[in-house]
Amino acid sequence: MKISRAYISIGVAMLLLASCGQQYAAKQKVKDFVKMHATEEIDITSFSDLDSTRVISDSLLQVMRKNALSDPLFKDVRLGDVPKSSTLLYIRMRYGEDSLMQSKTFYFDHDLNEIIAIK
């Protein structure tokens, strides 16, 4: 019994570390994107937890991609290809002053290779 509990504890710890790594990678990709494409100084105040979704339809994804290309907050936007997988990862970035707090949601492919849409 003690050995199986140890394996379970190690497994849980590995999952937590992996999710922390994904969270860090997503934040870094967003920060790099903002640094490269922002048309103005953006003061990022916080990030939500990285999460997954399957409820984004192809048509909604195309609308978000089209809107991201004309978003006045960003210039020269290049988004990754839409993955074949129906599961997307997303993270919300909050920015601005307390009285004017705003947010943008960044969607990634399942492997966090590229930002594929912004809302």
Side-chain angles (χ1 to χ4, degrees), residues 53-56 83-88:
T53 183
R54 289 184 168 190
V55 296
I56 304 294
K84 299 202 185 305
S85 169
S86 62
T87 302
L88 302 176

Side-chain angles (χ1 to χ4, degrees), residues 11-27:
V12 169
M14 290 177 70
L15 284 173
L16 288 174
L17 288 175
S19 66
C20 289
Q22 282 188 315
Q23 178 82 15
Y24 176 80
K27 285 181 184 180

Side-chain angles (χ1 to χ4, degrees), residues 28-76:
Q28 197 57 50
K29 283 195 181 289
V30 170
K31 287 177 184 178
D32 292 345
F33 181 90
V34 168
K35 184 177 181 180
M36 181 179 289
H37 299 288
T39 57
E40 60 188 61
E41 184 73 26
I42 296 177
D43 181 26
I44 299 172
T45 57
S46 65
F47 286 96
S48 68
D49 289 337
L50 182 66
D51 206 350
S52 63
T53 183
R54 289 184 168 190
V55 296
I56 304 294
S57 67
D58 289 339
S59 58
L60 180 56
L61 192 58
Q62 293 306 321
V63 168
M64 287 191 300
R65 289 171 59 87
K66 181 181 176 188
N67 289 343
L69 296 175
S70 61
D71 189 330
L73 190 61
F74 302 116
K75 65 178 188 268
D76 303 325

